[in-house]
């Protein structure tokens, strides 16, 4: 529950234990060697996305491959919970090891081995054990003196207390810093837990396995992710108000849930090429779940070490029980102003590992608030930006980011004369775009095909083609064609009879004359008994003359020029104009 390394720096003058002093000395040595004075920007040299300081330092030693933990039981006075090293080790290998293997996409797996049992005089009172596990210095020192197998860390379970604990990252100085120990006890890396984290202890109905995963998260350098709006009864900020994060959703008992994309990226489980970089405008990014092949995180940089990040939380594996699924947004701040670690922290140096300030955005107002998680079809406004989550027919998830207050469906219609009508028919689900699977473009200047015309009209009429049985009405419309059910339903409604030779010519361009006929029939517009000759370029006897004049009478078209009034019947219809014809026919034209 507590990242005890954070407390070490704040209380370094008050503590004199061997471990705390060495930890502080080692940490300051790492930081000093990592950055020359006044050169904070070099801290981000290891991260091409500029959001994780000392990224290689954080993940290269412990967060990849097998991470060996030695399991110890500490016998404390007045408690006798039924815990022993072997049973706890087996439990953790069965539940915690596969959890992290899934969370890392197969890149990291903690492995637990039996250590032994030690005894200490540390005192755990019932109230303190439930509220927060006290610092068990005696247990820590006894295990450090007894461990001889040089694991990567020690996991210590007291035989008293409830499902709480604390964890420490220990040394974080792999190459290029060098010279630092990477095995316990010299690396000071440990997790200390109450018995209720691995066995059932009243008043809980089950072991709080989530506490184990949480503290190992701290040992990997992960920080709490909290908004800062929710206070504890004491008036202090509640750092456990993010119900969808392992590191802050503390009200969730039992099995662990996952964590957000920034933690996984900082640990090296998301590669830099799996991070999309948003630089402005309106852009759509396809997001992948954990272990997917593609973007697992989108970052919106504000300044060096200061950015919004987004990641997808799907209903899979340990995330099945999340309070809400969707795309979650966070404000990441590793600037020196984000952490106050006292006078010993070098001026201008960034916050890193557990000192990084991670806040759900928008910040929760209660411990059950999920407003920073955007579900499918929902839009989130934050500052000058908007975020919207979309899915395609195959269930793929997309995040659309825009830097304006108006969030358009397509990125290629900005400034187009028909933009509002394009967006109107998209909102009405008449068009899903022209570039599947991302579908973030409309292709305004592209010619409408007859197959697309059939699709537009069937959707506009609210007709469903689900479960359509292929009939083969038209010889050039194959059963396997994506447009087959739309064309055949158009045929069944009498809106088209095809060509005289029994074909439909689905790939042919729709002329303005054909468009007039299609729309007049589809929406059953009243036609004049005879053409009045409104358009100077349409002969009154032309087969489409009354169709074109019906559209004129309804205000669906004013023609292709007004002086003189012309219709241009043989011109192909571009997709942007088609959007306006449909919007006006349906009364969607603003």
């Amino acid at each position: 529950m507590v990242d005890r390394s954070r407390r070490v720096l704040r209380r370094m003058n008050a503590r004199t234990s061997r471990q705390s002093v060495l930890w502080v000395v080692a940490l300051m040595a790492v930081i000093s060697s990592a950055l020359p004075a006044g050169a904070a920007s070099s801290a981000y040299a290891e991260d091409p996305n500029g959001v994780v300081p000392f990224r290689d330092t954080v993940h290269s030693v412990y967060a990849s491959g097998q991470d060996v933990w030695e399991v110890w039981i500490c016998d404390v006075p007045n408690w006798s919970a039924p815990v022993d090293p072997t049973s706890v080790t087996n439990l953790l290998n069965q539940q915690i090891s596969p959890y992290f293997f899934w969370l890392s996409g197969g890149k990291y797996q903690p492995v637990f081995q039996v250590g032994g049992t030690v005894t200490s005089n540390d005192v755990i009172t019932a109230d303190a054990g439930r509220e927060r596990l006290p610092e068990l210095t005696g247990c820590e020192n006894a295990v450090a003196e007894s461990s001889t197998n040089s694991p990567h860390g020690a996991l210590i379970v007291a035989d008293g207390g409830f499902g709480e604990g604390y964890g420490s990252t220990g040394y974080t100085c792999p190459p290029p810093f060098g010279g630092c120990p990477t095995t316990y006890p010299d690396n000071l890396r440990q997790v200390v837990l109450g018995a209720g984290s691995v066995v059932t202890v009243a008043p809980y109905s089950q072991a709080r396995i989530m506490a184990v995963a949480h503290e190992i998260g701290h040992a990997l350098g992960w920080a709490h992710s909290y908004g800062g709006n929710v206070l504890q009864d004491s008036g202090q900020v509640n750092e456990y108000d993010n119900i969808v994060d392992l590191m802050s959703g503390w009200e969730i008992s039992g099995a662990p849930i996952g964590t957000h994309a920034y933690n996984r990226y900082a640990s090296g489980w998301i590669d830099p090429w799996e991070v999309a970089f948003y630089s402005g405008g309106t852009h759509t990014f396809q997001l992948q779940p954990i272990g997917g092949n593609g973007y697992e995180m989108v970052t919106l940089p504000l300044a060096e070490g200061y950015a919004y990040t987004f990641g997808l939380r799907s209903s899979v594996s340990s995330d099945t029980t999340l309070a809400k699924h969707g795309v979650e947004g966070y404000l990441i701040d590793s600037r020196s102003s984000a952490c106050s670690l006292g006078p010993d922290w070098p001026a201008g140096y960034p916050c890193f590992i557990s000192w990084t300030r991670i806040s759900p955005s928008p910040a929760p107002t209660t411990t059950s608030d999920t407003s920073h998680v955007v579900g499918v079809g929902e839009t989130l406004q934050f500052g000058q930006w908007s975020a919207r989550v979309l899915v395609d027919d195959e269930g793929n998830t997309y995040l659309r980011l825009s830097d304006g207050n108006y969030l358009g469906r397509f990125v290629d219609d900005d400034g187009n004369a028909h933009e509002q009508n394009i967006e109107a028919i998209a909102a009405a689900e008449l068009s899903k775009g022209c570039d599947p699977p991302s579908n973030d473009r409309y292709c305004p200047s592209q010619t409408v095909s007859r197959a697309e015309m059939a699709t537009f009209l069937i959707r506009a009429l609210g007709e469903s083609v689900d479960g359509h049985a292929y009939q083969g009405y038209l010889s050039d419309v194959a059963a396997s064609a994506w447009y087959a059910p739309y064309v055949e339903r158009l045929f069944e409604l009498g809106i088209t009879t095809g060509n005289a030779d029994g074909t439909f010519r689905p790939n042919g361009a729709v002329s303005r004359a054909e468009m007039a006929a299609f729309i007049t029939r589809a929406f059953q517009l009243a036609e004049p008994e005879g053409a009045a000759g409104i358009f100077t370029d349409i002969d009154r006897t032309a087969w489409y003359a009354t169709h074109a004049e019906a559209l004129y009478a309804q205000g669906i078209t004013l023609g292709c020029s007004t002086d003189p009034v012309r219709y241009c019947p043989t011109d192909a219809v571009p997709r942007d104009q088609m959007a306006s014809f449909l919007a006006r026919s349906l009364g969607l034209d603003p």
Side-chain angles (χ1 to χ4, degrees):
M1 184 173 184
V2 177
D3 174 26
R4 195 53 55 87
S5 60
R6 180 192 299 264
R7 295 176 58 205
V8 167
L9 279 181
R10 291 177 177 172
R11 300 177 55 203
M12 56 181 290
N13 294 325
R15 290 189 58 185
T16 57
S17 74
R18 166 183 173 272
Q19 292 173 311
S20 63
V21 172
L22 287 180
W23 197 95
V24 173
V25 171
L27 179 61
M28 299 310 297
V30 171
I31 296 171
S32 298
S33 63
L35 284 175
S41 62
S42 64
Y44 298 93
E46 299 170 353
D47 180 14
N49 292 295
V51 293
V52 181
F54 314 110
R55 182 171 181 267
D56 292 346
T57 299
V58 171
H59 74 72
S60 61
V61 170
Y62 303 121
S64 61
Q66 288 193 343
D67 186 17
V68 180
W69 287 86
E70 199 169 60
V71 177
W72 290 83
I73 304 300
C74 184
D75 183 17
V76 296
N78 303 319
W79 292 83
S80 58
V83 289
D84 67 86
T86 300
S87 61
V88 172
T89 298
N90 291 338
L91 173 71
L92 300 183
N93 279 324
Q94 292 168 5
Q95 298 195 31
I96 295 298
S97 184
Y99 163 78
F100 277 102
F101 189 79
W102 162 75
L103 190 63
S104 67
K107 294 182 178 180
Y108 167 77
Q109 188 170 32
V111 176
F112 302 92
Q113 62 185 27
V114 174
T117 300
V118 295
T119 301
S120 85
N121 292 320
D122 291 314
V123 176
I124 304 177
T125 64
D127 290 340
R130 184 179 304 180
E131 183 70 21
R132 171 173 289 182
L133 189 72
E135 199 162 352
L136 304 183
T137 307
C139 292
E140 296 175 19
N141 290 335
V143 170
E145 292 171 1
S146 301
S147 179
T148 59
N149 293 321
S150 299
H152 295 138
L155 190 143
I156 305 168
V157 179
D159 65 352
F162 298 89
E164 312 292 337
Y166 56 89
S168 170
T169 309
Y171 284 122
T172 51
C173 47
F177 310 124
C180 296
T182 59
T183 58
Y184 183 83
D186 293 330
N187 65 1
L188 309 177
R189 187 168 180 251
Q190 61 191 15
V191 162
V192 182
L193 298 158
S197 60
V198 293
V199 294
T200 301
V201 174
Y204 303 119
S205 60
Q206 58 184 319
R208 305 190 80 189
I209 301 298
M210 184 170 173
V212 183
H214 176 103
E215 302 308 341
I216 290 178
H218 280 316
L220 292 170
W222 297 351
H224 296 150
S225 62
Y226 61 96
N229 290 333
V230 182
L231 301 181
Q232 299 175 339
D233 293 340
S234 62
Q236 294 180 320
V237 171
N238 187 343
E239 295 190 11
Y240 306 98
D241 64 1
N242 184 6
I243 195 173
V244 297
D245 181 20
L246 167 73
M247 302 310 296
S248 287
W250 201 250
E251 296 303 317
I252 302 175
S253 299
I257 56 175
T259 192
H260 49 81
Y262 179 82
N263 279 345
R264 294 186 288 113
Y265 178 64
S267 292
W269 304 344
I270 297 176
D271 293 322
W273 64 265
E274 294 176 307
V275 177
F277 187 88
Y278 171 77
S279 57
T282 299
H283 293 283
T284 302
F285 306 92
Q286 182 177 354
L287 282 172
Q288 297 288 339
I290 293 173
N293 184 22
Y295 294 138
E296 290 193 40
M297 187 172 83
V298 176
T299 180
L300 189 168
L302 303 175
E304 188 173 60
Y306 188 44
Y308 286 105
T309 62
F310 303 88
L312 175 63
R313 300 292 292 279
S314 299
S315 180
V316 294
S317 191
S318 294
D319 275 350
T320 303
T321 61
L322 286 186
K324 185 175 182 181
H325 297 95
V327 176
E328 55 181 347
Y330 291 87
L331 182 60
I332 310 297
D333 194 351
S334 60
R335 300 172 300 174
S336 59
S337 58
C339 52
S340 55
L341 295 168
D344 298 291
W345 192 259
Y349 282 17
C351 314
F352 79 117
I353 52 174
S354 298
W355 291 276
T356 303
R357 181 68 176 93
I358 301 174
S359 176
S361 183
T365 56
T366 68
T367 55
S368 60
D369 189 350
T370 58
S371 58
H372 66 291
V373 183
V374 188
V376 175
E378 295 179 347
T379 300
L380 175 67
Q381 193 77 34
F382 57 107
Q384 70 185 74
W385 299 277
S386 297
R388 184 173 176 82
V389 177
L390 308 166
V391 295
D392 63 13
D393 292 338
E394 297 179 355
N396 297 310
T397 300
Y398 299 85
L399 174 67
R400 170 160 296 140
L401 292 174
S402 175
D403 56 8
N405 291 324
Y406 172 67
L407 186 63
R409 174 69 173 82
F410 302 112
V411 301
D412 61 350
D413 63 352
D414 295 346
N416 187 288
H418 302 273
E419 179 180 2
Q420 287 185 299
N421 287 329
I422 291 172
E423 298 294 343
I425 69 166
E429 298 295 325
L430 307 191
S431 175
K432 298 181 179 179
C434 64
D435 60 334
S438 59
N439 289 323
D440 62 351
R441 298 181 182 277
Y442 182 75
C443 303
S445 62
Q446 183 174 298
T447 299
V448 177
S449 70
R450 287 170 59 86
E452 290 174 328
M453 187 76 206
T455 305
F456 278 136
L457 292 176
I458 292 303
R459 289 174 179 166
L461 293 173
E463 293 282 333
S464 174
V465 295
D466 293 341
H468 173 81
Y470 178 72
Q471 301 298 321
Y473 298 125
L474 300 156
S475 62
D476 59 347
V477 177
S480 59
W482 66 267
Y483 49 79
Y486 296 99
V487 173
E488 292 207 330
R489 186 59 184 146
L490 202 72
F491 183 90
E492 292 170 350
L493 293 172
I495 299 172
T496 185
T497 57
N499 300 300
D501 61 358
T503 64
F504 183 71
R505 295 201 298 273
N507 295 320
V510 173
S511 68
R512 287 172 59 87
E514 292 173 326
M515 178 274 296
F518 277 130
I519 288 183
T520 302
R521 294 169 188 160
F523 298 104
Q524 300 179 3
L525 302 181
E527 298 180 55
E529 293 185 3
I534 294 172
F535 300 105
T536 60
D537 59 347
I538 295 181
D539 189 291
R540 296 186 183 188
T541 63
W543 66 267
Y544 51 82
T546 57
H547 296 308
E549 292 193 4
L551 264 58
Y552 184 88
Q554 295 291 329
I556 296 172
T557 184
L558 296 177
C560 61
S561 72
T562 57
D563 188 18
V565 179
R566 300 174 60 244
Y567 185 74
C568 304
T570 59
D571 286 0
V573 180
R575 285 171 59 87
D576 57 356
Q577 292 181 19
M578 190 71 240
S580 289
F581 294 142
L582 288 170
R584 293 166 190 162
S585 299
L586 291 167
L588 302 176
D589 182 15

Coordinates of all heavy atoms in Angstrom, one line a residue, residues 336-374:
S336 N 10.4 18.6 -11.8 CA 10.9 18.8 -10.4 C 9.9 19.4 -9.5 O 9.8 19.2 -8.3 CB 12.2 19.5 -10.4 OG 12.0 20.8 -10.9
S337 N 9.0 20.2 -10.1 CA 8.0 20.9 -9.3 C 6.9 20.0 -8.8 O 6.1 20.3 -7.9 CB 7.3 22.0 -10.1 OG 6.8 21.5 -11.3
A338 N 6.8 18.8 -9.4 CA 5.8 17.8 -9.0 C 6.1 17.0 -7.7 O 5.2 16.4 -7.2 CB 5.5 16.9 -10.2
C339 N 7.3 17.1 -7.3 CA 7.6 16.3 -6.1 C 8.5 17.1 -5.1 O 9.5 17.7 -5.5 CB 8.4 15.0 -6.4 SG 9.8 15.2 -7.5
S340 N 8.0 17.2 -3.9 CA 8.8 17.9 -2.9 C 9.5 16.9 -1.9 O 8.8 16.4 -1.1 CB 7.8 18.8 -2.1 OG 6.8 18.1 -1.5
L341 N 10.7 16.7 -2.2 CA 11.4 15.6 -1.5 C 12.5 16.2 -0.5 O 13.4 15.5 -0.1 CB 12.1 14.7 -2.5 CG 11.0 13.9 -3.3 CD1 11.7 13.2 -4.4 CD2 10.3 12.9 -2.4
G342 N 12.4 17.5 -0.2 CA 13.3 18.1 0.8 C 14.5 18.7 0.2 O 14.8 18.6 -1.0
P343 N 15.3 19.3 1.0 CA 16.5 20.0 0.5 C 17.6 19.1 -0.1 O 18.5 19.6 -0.8 CB 17.1 20.7 1.8 CG 16.5 19.8 2.9 CD 15.2 19.3 2.5
D344 N 17.6 17.8 0.2 CA 18.6 16.9 -0.4 C 18.3 16.5 -1.8 O 19.2 15.9 -2.5 CB 18.7 15.7 0.5 CG 19.1 16.0 1.9 OD1 20.3 16.4 2.1 OD2 18.3 15.9 2.8
W345 N 17.1 16.9 -2.3 CA 16.8 16.5 -3.7 C 17.5 17.6 -4.6 O 17.2 18.8 -4.4 CB 15.3 16.5 -3.9 CG 14.9 15.9 -5.3 CD1 14.6 16.6 -6.4 CD2 14.8 14.6 -5.6 NE1 14.2 15.8 -7.4 CE2 14.4 14.5 -6.9 CE3 15.1 13.4 -4.9 CZ2 14.2 13.3 -7.6 CZ3 14.9 12.2 -5.5 CH2 14.5 12.1 -6.9
P346 N 18.3 17.2 -5.6 CA 19.0 18.2 -6.4 C 18.0 19.2 -7.1 O 17.0 18.7 -7.7 CB 19.8 17.4 -7.4 CG 19.9 16.1 -6.7 CD 18.7 15.9 -5.9
A347 N 18.3 20.4 -7.1 CA 17.4 21.4 -7.7 C 17.3 21.2 -9.2 O 18.3 21.0 -9.9 CB 18.0 22.8 -7.5
G348 N 16.1 21.2 -9.7 CA 15.9 21.0 -11.2 C 15.8 19.6 -11.6 O 15.5 19.4 -12.8
Y349 N 16.1 18.6 -10.8 CA 16.1 17.3 -11.2 C 14.7 16.7 -11.3 O 13.9 17.1 -10.4 CB 17.0 16.4 -10.3 CG 18.5 16.5 -10.5 CD1 19.0 17.6 -11.2 CD2 19.3 15.5 -10.0 CE1 20.4 17.7 -11.4 CE2 20.7 15.6 -10.2 CZ 21.2 16.7 -10.9 OH 22.6 16.8 -11.1
P350 N 14.4 15.9 -12.2 CA 13.0 15.4 -12.4 C 12.6 14.4 -11.3 O 13.5 13.7 -10.7 CB 13.0 14.8 -13.7 CG 14.4 14.3 -13.9 CD 15.3 15.3 -13.3
C351 N 11.4 14.2 -11.1 CA 10.9 13.1 -10.3 C 10.9 11.9 -11.1 O 10.7 11.9 -12.3 CB 9.4 13.4 -9.9 SG 9.0 15.0 -9.3
F352 N 11.2 10.7 -10.5 CA 11.2 9.5 -11.3 C 10.7 8.3 -10.4 O 10.5 8.5 -9.2 CB 12.5 9.2 -11.9 CG 13.6 8.7 -11.1 CD1 14.1 7.4 -11.3 CD2 14.1 9.4 -10.0 CE1 15.1 6.9 -10.5 CE2 15.1 8.9 -9.2 CZ 15.6 7.6 -9.5
I353 N 10.5 7.2 -11.0 CA 9.9 6.0 -10.3 C 8.7 6.5 -9.5 O 7.9 7.1 -10.0 CB 11.0 5.1 -9.6 CG1 11.8 5.9 -8.6 CG2 11.8 4.4 -10.7 CD1 12.8 5.0 -7.8
S354 N 8.7 6.1 -8.2 CA 7.5 6.3 -7.4 C 7.3 7.8 -7.0 O 6.2 8.1 -6.4 CB 7.6 5.5 -6.1 OG 7.7 4.1 -6.4
W355 N 8.2 8.7 -7.4 CA 7.9 10.1 -7.1 C 7.2 10.8 -8.2 O 6.8 11.9 -8.1 CB 9.2 10.8 -6.8 CG 9.8 10.4 -5.5 CD1 9.5 10.8 -4.3 CD2 10.8 9.4 -5.4 NE1 10.3 10.2 -3.4 CE2 11.1 9.3 -4.0 CE3 11.5 8.5 -6.2 CZ2 12.1 8.4 -3.5 CZ3 12.5 7.7 -5.7 CH2 12.7 7.6 -4.3
T356 N 7.0 10.1 -9.4 CA 6.3 10.7 -10.5 C 4.9 11.0 -10.1 O 4.2 10.1 -9.5 CB 6.4 9.8 -11.7 OG1 7.7 9.5 -12.1 CG2 5.7 10.4 -12.9
R357 N 4.3 12.1 -10.4 CA 3.0 12.5 -10.1 C 2.1 12.0 -11.2 O 2.1 12.5 -12.3 CB 2.8 14.0 -9.9 CG 1.4 14.4 -9.5 CD 1.0 13.9 -8.1 NE -0.3 14.3 -7.8 CZ -1.5 13.7 -8.0 NH1 -1.4 12.5 -8.6 NH2 -2.6 14.2 -7.6
I358 N 1.2 11.0 -10.9 CA 0.3 10.5 -11.9 C -1.1 10.7 -11.5 O -1.5 10.2 -10.4 CB 0.6 8.9 -12.1 CG1 2.0 8.7 -12.5 CG2 -0.4 8.3 -13.1 CD1 2.4 7.2 -12.6
S359 N -1.9 11.4 -12.3 CA -3.2 11.8 -11.9 C -4.2 11.4 -12.9 O -4.1 11.8 -14.1 CB -3.3 13.3 -11.6 OG -4.6 13.7 -11.3
P360 N -5.3 10.7 -12.6 CA -6.4 10.5 -13.5 C -6.9 11.8 -14.0 O -7.0 12.8 -13.2 CB -7.4 9.7 -12.7 CG -6.7 9.1 -11.5 CD -5.6 10.1 -11.2
S361 N -7.3 11.9 -15.3 CA -7.8 13.1 -15.8 C -9.1 12.9 -16.5 O -9.1 12.2 -17.5 CB -6.7 13.7 -16.8 OG -7.2 15.0 -17.2
P362 N -10.2 13.5 -16.1 CA -10.3 14.4 -14.9 C -10.1 13.6 -13.6 O -10.4 12.5 -13.5 CB -11.7 15.0 -15.0 CG -12.5 13.9 -15.7 CD -11.5 13.3 -16.7
A363 N -9.7 14.4 -12.6 CA -9.4 13.8 -11.3 C -10.7 13.3 -10.6 O -11.7 14.0 -10.7 CB -8.8 14.8 -10.4
P364 N -10.7 12.1 -10.0 CA -11.9 11.6 -9.4 C -12.4 12.5 -8.2 O -11.5 13.1 -7.6 CB -11.4 10.2 -8.8 CG -10.2 9.9 -9.7 CD -9.6 11.2 -10.0
T365 N -13.6 12.5 -8.0 CA -14.2 13.2 -6.8 C -14.6 12.3 -5.7 O -15.0 12.7 -4.6 CB -15.4 14.1 -7.3 OG1 -16.4 13.2 -7.9 CG2 -14.9 15.1 -8.3
T366 N -14.7 11.0 -6.0 CA -15.0 9.9 -5.0 C -14.1 8.7 -5.3 O -13.5 8.7 -6.4 CB -16.4 9.5 -5.1 OG1 -16.7 8.8 -6.3 CG2 -17.4 10.7 -5.0
T367 N -14.0 7.8 -4.4 CA -13.2 6.6 -4.6 C -13.8 5.6 -5.6 O -13.2 4.6 -6.0 CB -13.0 5.9 -3.3 OG1 -14.2 5.6 -2.7 CG2 -12.1 6.7 -2.3
S368 N -15.0 5.9 -6.1 CA -15.7 5.1 -7.1 C -15.8 5.8 -8.4 O -16.5 5.3 -9.3 CB -17.0 4.6 -6.6 OG -17.9 5.6 -6.3
D369 N -15.3 7.0 -8.6 CA -15.4 7.8 -9.8 C -14.6 7.2 -10.9 O -13.4 7.0 -10.8 CB -15.0 9.2 -9.4 CG -15.3 10.2 -10.6 OD1 -15.7 9.8 -11.6 OD2 -15.1 11.4 -10.3
T370 N -15.2 7.0 -12.1 CA -14.5 6.5 -13.3 C -14.6 7.5 -14.4 O -14.6 7.1 -15.6 CB -15.1 5.1 -13.7 OG1 -16.5 5.3 -13.9 CG2 -14.8 4.1 -12.6
S371 N -14.7 8.8 -14.1 CA -14.9 9.8 -15.2 C -13.7 9.9 -16.1 O -13.8 10.4 -17.2 CB -15.3 11.1 -14.6 OG -14.3 11.6 -13.7
H372 N -12.5 9.4 -15.7 CA -11.4 9.5 -16.6 C -11.3 8.3 -17.5 O -10.4 8.2 -18.3 CB -10.1 9.5 -15.7 CG -9.8 8.3 -14.9 ND1 -10.6 7.9 -13.8 CD2 -8.9 7.4 -15.0 CE1 -10.1 6.8 -13.3 NE2 -9.1 6.4 -14.0
V373 N -12.3 7.4 -17.4 CA -12.3 6.3 -18.4 C -13.4 6.6 -19.4 O -14.6 6.8 -19.0 CB -12.6 5.0 -17.6 CG1 -12.6 3.8 -18.6 CG2 -11.6 4.7 -16.5
V374 N -13.1 6.6 -20.7 CA -14.0 7.0 -21.7 C -14.5 5.7 -22.4 O -13.7 5.0 -23.0 CB -13.4 8.0 -22.7 CG1 -14.4 8.5 -23.7 CG2 -12.7 9.1 -22.0

